[in-house]
Amino acid sequence: MAASHLSHSAPHSLSFSKPLQNPTKLTFYSHFSLPKAQRRRLSLQAVLSENLPKVSSPIKTRNRKFHHCFSKSEDGFLYCEKLKVQEIMEAVEKRPFYLYSKDQITRNFEAYMNALEGLDYIIGYAIKANNNLKILEHLRGLGCGAVLVSGNELKLALHAGFDPTKCVFNGNGKLLEDLVLAAEKGVFVNVDSEFDLENIVTAARIAGKRVPVLLRINPDVDPQVHPYVATGNKNSKFGIRNEKLQWFLDAAKSHPNELKLVGAHCHLGSTITKVDIFRDAALLMVNYIDEIRAQGFEISYLNIGGGLGIDYHHTGAVLPTPMDLINTVRELVLSRGLNLIIEPGRSLIANTCCLVNRITGVKTNGTKNFIVIDGSMAELIRPSLYGAYQHIELVSPPAPDTEVSTFDVVGPVCESADFLGKDRELPTPSKGAGLVVHDAGAYCMSMASTYNLKMRPPEYWVEDGSIVKIRHEETFEDHLRFYEGL
């Protein structure tokens, strides 16, 4: 559908004169306002996450608007790559949907590719962040590899045409049948535990192939992030204890026909905003590689994982770039003659997408004000799961006399945890108006569910000025098909 074929008509503005006492009489009020005690002006405190990690060097901020593929123009409308989101809403099915910029995905990948110039490298996209097939095919076409944490992700990567020799199979509970497929295809496999190594050896024998493996060493480096997304400290379920390194080296030596130890791997966590953490880990890892090489192993790969954070708050924070990250480890990698594997997920895909919603209504309980939308924790669980902050805004300009008030943005799911944002300063919206949750490309659709029988939404991207569907919406009929013939 070409952008020129989209049409726009502003949503009908509805408002109310006082806090709603009886929701069933919604249409009987002519103007909506909230108690004065609940109004306050926008402040920086309202848009800062309480769990934003502290950094050794303060994150600098610029007094500027946040600009990327989604931006507010002077007319007050939200645009995605020069297309009005309001007009896109009117052109597609009337339900929540994910909207991406294909060009932004390309720009994000090229930022890593440019940063890695002068190194031998593999950029392995973490499929767990977003497993849309069209996105995977696009990244593969750009030269990307893939990082997998399940057998189905491995199958999807192969289906999307990824080069198996640029794929890495991670995970602390890899199944034997999936390891056999990885062995057959020549995928890198990370060794995560004693039983994992045993399964890899068995898979190699079944496949009749020697498996290229990396040891996932837990460096016990604190990434200073939410504990749910920290993966490289001593309490993590991932990786081998560094004091057990010799045991794994001896095991690799005893299985020369099944295992080819080619590298070492670490993964510290996610949403990391302090690149010095990567250098600390890389320094430990190259020292381990020196020890491993001293025992006769030809180690040629260092995998430093992923986890680079993004500006979820849209406050203009100057966060580390792919170039900043790579520059912290470049000399260490070159000094050992290593190939560098990097596993970006969030930083490749998160800021390329919004979850687009429609407002069902506005209500107050006397002390708290709510914007109720058709999207929910079923489509976007990060705020409910670990208190994540994602920027929220309306897609169209409010009427000139619209009051700005404090709202929780919530969905219709029957859980008090069903919220997309709390204590947000927003213009009081009209029923049916559009509202977006930004930076929804990573760990949103891939974690979506059908709780309350909310069917997973469609996905679109903007490509060459047109809106293209890249995943069909699920339907109630799809749900019933699981029971056919039983």
Side-chain angles (χ1 to χ4, degrees):
M1 181 191 315
S4 59
H5 294 163
L6 298 176
S7 62
H8 168 70
S9 59
H12 180 62
S13 179
L14 298 175
S15 55
F16 304 90
S17 60
K18 57 183 178 180
L20 202 58
Q21 301 300 318
N22 185 350
T24 64
K25 296 184 178 180
L26 178 71
T27 58
F28 297 158
Y29 292 86
S30 61
H31 192 80
F32 176 67
S33 63
L34 298 170
K36 290 184 177 179
Q38 296 170 46
R39 305 174 197 159
R40 58 186 176 86
R41 298 190 62 82
L42 180 64
S43 65
L44 186 62
Q45 184 68 28
V47 294
L48 287 179
S49 170
E50 292 181 359
N51 59 11
L52 184 68
K54 295 178 180 179
V55 296
S56 59
S57 301
I59 297 175
K60 299 177 182 178
T61 60
R62 296 171 182 162
N63 186 20
R64 60 170 175 82
K65 294 181 180 178
F66 185 88
H67 289 287
H68 66 346
C69 58
F70 289 94
S71 60
K72 275 282 181 74
S73 208
E74 290 183 359
D75 61 7
F77 285 92
L78 182 68
Y79 286 76
C80 178
E81 302 288 3
K82 301 182 180 179
L83 295 185
K84 276 186 181 179
V85 175
Q86 178 67 48
E87 295 182 354
I88 296 172
M89 291 178 65
E90 292 161 4
V92 303
E93 185 181 352
K94 302 301 186 284
R95 61 187 288 176
F97 63 93
Y98 285 96
L99 177 63
Y100 300 80
S101 161
K102 186 178 183 181
D103 285 348
Q104 187 68 50
I105 297 171
T106 301
R107 291 191 291 267
N108 289 349
F109 177 78
E110 288 176 346
Y112 272 100
M113 197 165 58
N114 293 336
L116 287 157
E117 185 176 357
L119 297 176
D120 294 319
Y121 64 87
I122 295 173
I123 302 174
Y125 168 64
I127 288 182
K128 67 190 175 77
N130 187 309
N131 55 34
N132 183 286
L133 177 60
K134 297 301 180 183
I135 291 172
L136 298 184
E137 290 174 341
H138 178 53
L139 286 169
R140 183 260 303 155
L142 294 172
C144 199
V147 173
L148 329 156
V149 293
S150 74
N152 282 338
E153 287 189 358
L154 170 57
K155 293 172 186 175
L156 187 61
L158 296 173
H159 181 82
F162 283 95
D163 179 353
T165 64
K166 295 172 69 174
C167 293
V168 183
F169 192 10
N170 289 336
N172 68 312
K174 299 184 285 291
L175 300 179
L176 178 59
E177 57 265 35
D178 301 328
L179 287 168
V180 171
L181 178 60
E184 290 172 345
K185 299 299 181 181
V187 170
F188 290 106
V189 179
N190 274 325
V191 178
D192 190 87
S193 65
E194 292 88 344
F195 72 79
D196 195 37
L197 185 142
E198 180 182 346
N199 284 338
I200 296 168
V201 169
T202 302
R205 290 171 178 166
I206 294 171
K209 297 287 185 69
R210 192 181 185 202
V211 180
V213 297
L214 296 87
L215 294 179
R216 179 166 180 169
I217 301 172
N218 188 330
D220 195 18
V221 172
D222 180 9
Q224 300 181 23
V225 296
H226 192 287
Y228 285 12
V229 293
T231 58
N233 56 44
K234 64 182 179 181
N235 296 318
S236 175
K237 72 175 184 177
F238 301 103
I240 67 175
R241 304 194 310 274
N242 47 36
E243 63 266 25
K244 288 276 290 185
L245 176 60
Q246 189 59 54
W247 185 93
F248 285 91
L249 296 179
D250 292 340
K253 291 174 185 176
S254 66
H255 296 95
N257 297 323
E258 294 85 9
L259 305 178
K260 182 180 180 181
L261 180 57
V262 298
H265 169 262
C266 68
H267 193 290
L268 305 178
S270 193
T271 69
I272 298 172
T273 58
K274 181 182 174 185
V275 293
D276 288 351
I277 291 170
F278 289 99
R279 179 175 175 81
D280 292 346
L283 185 58
L284 290 171
M285 295 302 295
V286 296
N287 287 333
Y288 289 132
I289 286 173
D290 289 343
E291 293 179 26
I292 298 169
R293 282 176 167 174
Q295 297 192 36
F297 291 97
E298 295 181 3
I299 298 297
S300 53
Y301 292 92
L302 169 62
N303 185 336
I304 61 169
L308 192 63
I310 68 165
D311 183 13
Y312 276 112
H313 299 86
H314 290 212
T315 56
V318 181
L319 298 182
T321 65
M323 184 69 76
D324 295 327
L325 189 162
I326 300 304
N327 282 344
T328 62
V329 302
R330 185 183 305 277
E331 294 307 317
L332 285 171
V333 172
L334 290 172
S335 70
R336 302 311 198 275
L338 292 165
N339 295 276
L340 182 65
I341 301 176
I342 183 78
E343 301 180 347
R346 182 189 318 274
S347 55
L348 268 183
I349 195 67
N351 72 353
T352 70
C353 175
C354 281
L355 176 64
V356 184
N357 311 270
R358 285 175 175 79
I359 291 168
T360 306
V362 177
K363 63 178 289 186
T364 181
N365 63 11
T367 58
K368 196 82 171 175
N369 308 308
F370 302 92
I371 295 173
V372 184
I373 60 174
D374 53 1
S376 70
M377 65 184 291
E379 293 84 10
L380 199 154
I381 199 173
R382 293 184 68 253
S384 300
L385 183 62
Y386 38 73
Y389 182 100
Q390 291 183 230
H391 185 60
I392 293 173
E393 64 180 328
L394 302 178
V395 306
S396 302
D401 59 348
T402 302
E403 294 177 356
V404 174
S405 301
T406 306
F407 295 94
D408 283 5
V409 179
V410 301
V413 163
C414 192
E415 294 284 348
S416 294
D418 179 26
F419 63 90
L420 285 301
K422 290 192 171 185
D423 298 323
R424 303 302 179 89
E425 298 281 354
L426 290 165
T428 303
S430 58
K431 181 179 179 180
L435 176 147
V436 299
V437 182
H438 279 279
D439 303 312
Y443 306 103
C444 294
M445 182 58 169
S446 66
M447 298 175 74
S449 74
T450 57
Y451 187 44
N452 283 196
L453 274 185
K454 287 182 104 277
M455 299 293 103
R456 278 179 281 260
E459 294 177 285
Y460 301 85
W461 66 20
V462 175
E463 178 183 14
D464 298 327
S466 297
I467 307 304
V468 179
K469 179 177 276 190
I470 58 173
R471 176 174 167 143
H472 291 296
E473 60 277 8
E474 294 180 5
T475 67
F476 180 68
E477 288 69 31
D478 292 328
H479 178 72
L480 292 181
R481 273 193 281 272
F482 290 113
Y483 305 96
E484 290 179 359
L486 299 180

mmCIF file of all heavy atoms in Angstrom, residues 360-387:
data_model
loop_
_atom_site.group_PDB
_atom_site.id
_atom_site.type_symbol
_atom_site.label_atom_id
_atom_site.label_comp_id
_atom_site.label_asym_id
_atom_site.label_seq_id
_atom_site.Cartn_x
_atom_site.Cartn_y
_atom_site.Cartn_z
ATOM 1 N N THR A 360 -9.413 3.134 24.569
ATOM 2 C CA THR A 360 -10.777 2.678 24.809
ATOM 3 C C THR A 360 -11.543 3.682 25.656
ATOM 4 O O THR A 360 -12.741 3.896 25.465
ATOM 5 C CB THR A 360 -10.758 1.301 25.505
ATOM 6 O OG1 THR A 360 -9.968 0.399 24.713
ATOM 7 C CG2 THR A 360 -12.152 0.740 25.674
ATOM 8 N N GLY A 361 -10.854 4.315 26.589
ATOM 9 C CA GLY A 361 -11.499 5.315 27.430
ATOM 10 C C GLY A 361 -10.571 5.821 28.507
ATOM 11 O O GLY A 361 -9.455 5.331 28.685
ATOM 12 N N VAL A 362 -11.048 6.826 29.230
ATOM 13 C CA VAL A 362 -10.308 7.434 30.333
ATOM 14 C C VAL A 362 -11.178 7.347 31.578
ATOM 15 O O VAL A 362 -12.382 7.578 31.520
ATOM 16 C CB VAL A 362 -9.965 8.904 30.021
ATOM 17 C CG1 VAL A 362 -9.250 9.557 31.194
ATOM 18 C CG2 VAL A 362 -9.124 8.996 28.757
ATOM 19 N N LYS A 363 -10.568 6.986 32.707
ATOM 20 C CA LYS A 363 -11.340 6.874 33.940
ATOM 21 C C LYS A 363 -10.491 7.317 35.122
ATOM 22 O O LYS A 363 -9.250 7.425 35.010
ATOM 23 C CB LYS A 363 -11.819 5.447 34.157
ATOM 24 C CG LYS A 363 -10.705 4.419 34.340
ATOM 25 C CD LYS A 363 -11.232 3.007 34.612
ATOM 26 C CE LYS A 363 -11.848 2.876 35.989
ATOM 27 N NZ LYS A 363 -12.239 1.477 36.299
ATOM 28 N N THR A 364 -11.144 7.551 36.246
ATOM 29 C CA THR A 364 -10.457 7.872 37.493
ATOM 30 C C THR A 364 -11.134 7.122 38.620
ATOM 31 O O THR A 364 -12.340 6.856 38.578
ATOM 32 C CB THR A 364 -10.479 9.381 37.780
ATOM 33 O OG1 THR A 364 -9.778 9.643 38.995
ATOM 34 C CG2 THR A 364 -11.908 9.913 37.899
ATOM 35 N N ASN A 365 -10.348 6.725 39.615
ATOM 36 C CA ASN A 365 -10.942 6.123 40.811
ATOM 37 C C ASN A 365 -10.953 7.100 41.970
ATOM 38 O O ASN A 365 -11.156 6.721 43.118
ATOM 39 C CB ASN A 365 -10.215 4.830 41.187
ATOM 40 C CG ASN A 365 -8.752 5.055 41.556
ATOM 41 O OD1 ASN A 365 -8.306 6.193 41.743
ATOM 42 N ND2 ASN A 365 -7.997 3.976 41.666
ATOM 43 N N GLY A 366 -10.717 8.376 41.674
ATOM 44 C CA GLY A 366 -10.712 9.418 42.695
ATOM 45 C C GLY A 366 -9.328 9.798 43.142
ATOM 46 O O GLY A 366 -9.074 10.944 43.508
ATOM 47 N N THR A 367 -8.399 8.824 43.127
ATOM 48 C CA THR A 367 -7.013 9.116 43.501
ATOM 49 C C THR A 367 -6.037 8.783 42.379
ATOM 50 O O THR A 367 -4.903 9.249 42.401
ATOM 51 C CB THR A 367 -6.598 8.310 44.746
ATOM 52 O OG1 THR A 367 -6.755 6.917 44.475
ATOM 53 C CG2 THR A 367 -7.460 8.693 45.952
ATOM 54 N N LYS A 368 -6.477 7.992 41.437
ATOM 55 C CA LYS A 368 -5.617 7.549 40.356
ATOM 56 C C LYS A 368 -6.372 7.694 39.046
ATOM 57 O O LYS A 368 -7.569 7.408 38.970
ATOM 58 C CB LYS A 368 -5.231 6.081 40.564
ATOM 59 C CG LYS A 368 -4.061 5.613 39.739
ATOM 60 C CD LYS A 368 -2.744 6.001 40.378
ATOM 61 C CE LYS A 368 -1.570 5.353 39.678
ATOM 62 N NZ LYS A 368 -0.275 5.801 40.212
ATOM 63 N N ASN A 369 -5.667 8.135 38.009
ATOM 64 C CA ASN A 369 -6.273 8.327 36.702
ATOM 65 C C ASN A 369 -5.709 7.298 35.732
ATOM 66 O O ASN A 369 -4.516 6.984 35.766
ATOM 67 C CB ASN A 369 -5.980 9.733 36.180
ATOM 68 C CG ASN A 369 -6.342 10.783 37.200
ATOM 69 O OD1 ASN A 369 -7.443 10.804 37.709
ATOM 70 N ND2 ASN A 369 -5.373 11.646 37.521
ATOM 71 N N PHE A 370 -6.572 6.799 34.839
ATOM 72 C CA PHE A 370 -6.182 5.721 33.947
ATOM 73 C C PHE A 370 -6.555 6.048 32.508
ATOM 74 O O PHE A 370 -7.661 6.521 32.233
ATOM 75 C CB PHE A 370 -6.873 4.413 34.333
ATOM 76 C CG PHE A 370 -6.591 3.960 35.733
ATOM 77 C CD1 PHE A 370 -7.428 4.319 36.780
ATOM 78 C CD2 PHE A 370 -5.481 3.172 36.015
ATOM 79 C CE1 PHE A 370 -7.174 3.901 38.074
ATOM 80 C CE2 PHE A 370 -5.216 2.752 37.302
ATOM 81 C CZ PHE A 370 -6.059 3.125 38.344
ATOM 82 N N ILE A 371 -5.617 5.782 31.612
ATOM 83 C CA ILE A 371 -5.921 5.702 30.188
ATOM 84 C C ILE A 371 -5.980 4.212 29.863
ATOM 85 O O ILE A 371 -4.989 3.493 30.039
ATOM 86 C CB ILE A 371 -4.846 6.396 29.334
ATOM 87 C CG1 ILE A 371 -4.825 7.903 29.605
ATOM 88 C CG2 ILE A 371 -5.095 6.131 27.849
ATOM 89 C CD1 ILE A 371 -3.674 8.630 28.927
ATOM 90 N N VAL A 372 -7.131 3.748 29.425
ATOM 91 C CA VAL A 372 -7.323 2.339 29.095
ATOM 92 C C VAL A 372 -7.198 2.181 27.584
ATOM 93 O O VAL A 372 -7.894 2.861 26.829
ATOM 94 C CB VAL A 372 -8.688 1.824 29.576
ATOM 95 C CG1 VAL A 372 -8.810 0.318 29.303
ATOM 96 C CG2 VAL A 372 -8.875 2.109 31.067
ATOM 97 N N ILE A 373 -6.297 1.297 27.151
ATOM 98 C CA ILE A 373 -6.046 1.095 25.720
ATOM 99 C C ILE A 373 -6.390 -0.341 25.328
ATOM 100 O O ILE A 373 -6.632 -1.190 26.199
ATOM 101 C CB ILE A 373 -4.579 1.404 25.358
ATOM 102 C CG1 ILE A 373 -3.624 0.489 26.133
ATOM 103 C CG2 ILE A 373 -4.260 2.871 25.625
ATOM 104 C CD1 ILE A 373 -2.161 0.625 25.749
ATOM 105 N N ASP A 374 -6.406 -0.608 24.030
ATOM 106 C CA ASP A 374 -6.711 -1.968 23.592
ATOM 107 C C ASP A 374 -5.499 -2.885 23.643
ATOM 108 O O ASP A 374 -5.642 -4.105 23.642
ATOM 109 C CB ASP A 374 -7.345 -1.983 22.198
ATOM 110 C CG ASP A 374 -6.543 -1.237 21.143
ATOM 111 O OD1 ASP A 374 -5.458 -0.711 21.466
ATOM 112 O OD2 ASP A 374 -7.012 -1.157 19.989
ATOM 113 N N GLY A 375 -4.293 -2.342 23.703
ATOM 114 C CA GLY A 375 -3.101 -3.149 23.943
ATOM 115 C C GLY A 375 -2.963 -3.470 25.416
ATOM 116 O O GLY A 375 -3.651 -2.887 26.267
ATOM 117 N N SER A 376 -2.044 -4.379 25.755
ATOM 118 C CA SER A 376 -1.965 -4.859 27.131
ATOM 119 C C SER A 376 -0.642 -5.560 27.385
ATOM 120 O O SER A 376 0.227 -5.640 26.521
ATOM 121 C CB SER A 376 -3.104 -5.851 27.388
ATOM 122 O OG SER A 376 -2.871 -7.060 26.672
ATOM 123 N N MET A 377 -0.530 -6.121 28.605
ATOM 124 C CA MET A 377 0.630 -6.927 28.946
ATOM 125 C C MET A 377 0.722 -8.173 28.071
ATOM 126 O O MET A 377 1.803 -8.767 27.953
ATOM 127 C CB MET A 377 0.572 -7.339 30.419
ATOM 128 C CG MET A 377 -0.583 -8.265 30.762
ATOM 129 S SD MET A 377 -0.733 -8.656 32.539
ATOM 130 C CE MET A 377 0.710 -9.677 32.800
ATOM 131 N N ALA A 378 -0.378 -8.599 27.455
ATOM 132 C CA ALA A 378 -0.323 -9.765 26.569
ATOM 133 C C ALA A 378 0.521 -9.463 25.343
ATOM 134 O O ALA A 378 1.221 -10.336 24.839
ATOM 135 C CB ALA A 378 -1.739 -10.183 26.165
ATOM 136 N N GLU A 379 0.452 -8.229 24.844
ATOM 137 C CA GLU A 379 1.254 -7.840 23.693
ATOM 138 C C GLU A 379 2.623 -7.294 24.079
ATOM 139 O O GLU A 379 3.571 -7.371 23.292
ATOM 140 C CB GLU A 379 0.530 -6.769 22.864
ATOM 141 C CG GLU A 379 -0.738 -7.213 22.175
ATOM 142 C CD GLU A 379 -1.955 -7.162 23.083
ATOM 143 O OE1 GLU A 379 -1.865 -6.599 24.199
ATOM 144 O OE2 GLU A 379 -3.007 -7.680 22.688
ATOM 145 N N LEU A 380 2.733 -6.730 25.276
ATOM 146 C CA LEU A 380 3.983 -6.071 25.674
ATOM 147 C C LEU A 380 4.128 -6.215 27.190
ATOM 148 O O LEU A 380 3.554 -5.446 27.957
ATOM 149 C CB LEU A 380 3.948 -4.602 25.247
ATOM 150 C CG LEU A 380 5.282 -3.863 25.171
ATOM 151 C CD1 LEU A 380 5.197 -2.705 24.184
ATOM 152 C CD2 LEU A 380 5.708 -3.340 26.525
ATOM 153 N N ILE A 381 4.916 -7.217 27.598
ATOM 154 C CA ILE A 381 4.956 -7.594 29.014
ATOM 155 C C ILE A 381 6.109 -6.981 29.802
ATOM 156 O O ILE A 381 6.157 -7.063 31.024
ATOM 157 C CB ILE A 381 4.997 -9.134 29.155
ATOM 158 C CG1 ILE A 381 4.565 -9.548 30.567
ATOM 159 C CG2 ILE A 381 6.372 -9.671 28.782
ATOM 160 C CD1 ILE A 381 4.424 -11.040 30.751
ATOM 161 N N ARG A 382 7.051 -6.318 29.153
ATOM 162 C CA ARG A 382 8.246 -5.855 29.850
ATOM 163 C C ARG A 382 7.943 -4.983 31.080
ATOM 164 O O ARG A 382 8.542 -5.181 32.146
ATOM 165 C CB ARG A 382 9.177 -5.093 28.905
ATOM 166 C CG ARG A 382 9.796 -5.949 27.816
ATOM 167 C CD ARG A 382 10.790 -5.168 26.955
ATOM 168 N NE ARG A 382 11.981 -4.807 27.712
ATOM 169 C CZ ARG A 382 12.249 -3.583 28.130
ATOM 170 N NH1 ARG A 382 11.424 -2.587 27.871
ATOM 171 N NH2 ARG A 382 13.349 -3.342 28.809
ATOM 172 N N PRO A 383 7.024 -4.001 30.996
ATOM 173 C CA PRO A 383 6.737 -3.207 32.200
ATOM 174 C C PRO A 383 6.180 -4.053 33.339
ATOM 175 O O PRO A 383 6.557 -3.866 34.501
ATOM 176 C CB PRO A 383 5.715 -2.178 31.704
ATOM 177 C CG PRO A 383 5.974 -2.066 30.236
ATOM 178 C CD PRO A 383 6.337 -3.453 29.800
ATOM 179 N N SER A 384 5.290 -4.997 33.028
ATOM 180 C CA SER A 384 4.706 -5.839 34.066
ATOM 181 C C SER A 384 5.711 -6.837 34.611
ATOM 182 O O SER A 384 5.695 -7.164 35.796
ATOM 183 C CB SER A 384 3.499 -6.600 33.508
ATOM 184 O OG SER A 384 2.509 -5.726 33.042
ATOM 185 N N LEU A 385 6.602 -7.349 33.750
ATOM 186 C CA LEU A 385 7.516 -8.412 34.142
ATOM 187 C C LEU A 385 8.622 -7.921 35.052
ATOM 188 O O LEU A 385 8.925 -8.544 36.077
ATOM 189 C CB LEU A 385 8.112 -9.062 32.888
ATOM 190 C CG LEU A 385 9.035 -10.249 33.104
ATOM 191 C CD1 LEU A 385 8.294 -11.396 33.782
ATOM 192 C CD2 LEU A 385 9.629 -10.716 31.780
ATOM 193 N N TYR A 386 9.274 -6.807 34.685
ATOM 194 C CA TYR A 386 10.349 -6.324 35.556
ATOM 195 C C TYR A 386 10.408 -4.800 35.634
ATOM 196 O O TYR A 386 11.486 -4.208 35.740
ATOM 197 C CB TYR A 386 11.716 -6.898 35.168
ATOM 198 C CG TYR A 386 12.019 -7.051 33.706
ATOM 199 C CD1 TYR A 386 12.285 -5.957 32.902
ATOM 200 C CD2 TYR A 386 12.059 -8.314 33.131
ATOM 201 C CE1 TYR A 386 12.588 -6.111 31.566
ATOM 202 C CE2 TYR A 386 12.357 -8.478 31.787
ATOM 203 C CZ TYR A 386 12.622 -7.374 31.005
ATOM 204 O OH TYR A 386 12.929 -7.534 29.675
ATOM 205 N N GLY A 387 9.242 -4.167 35.591
ATOM 206 C CA GLY A 387 9.192 -2.728 35.826
ATOM 207 C C GLY A 387 9.897 -1.904 34.779
ATOM 208 O O GLY A 387 10.333 -0.788 35.057
#
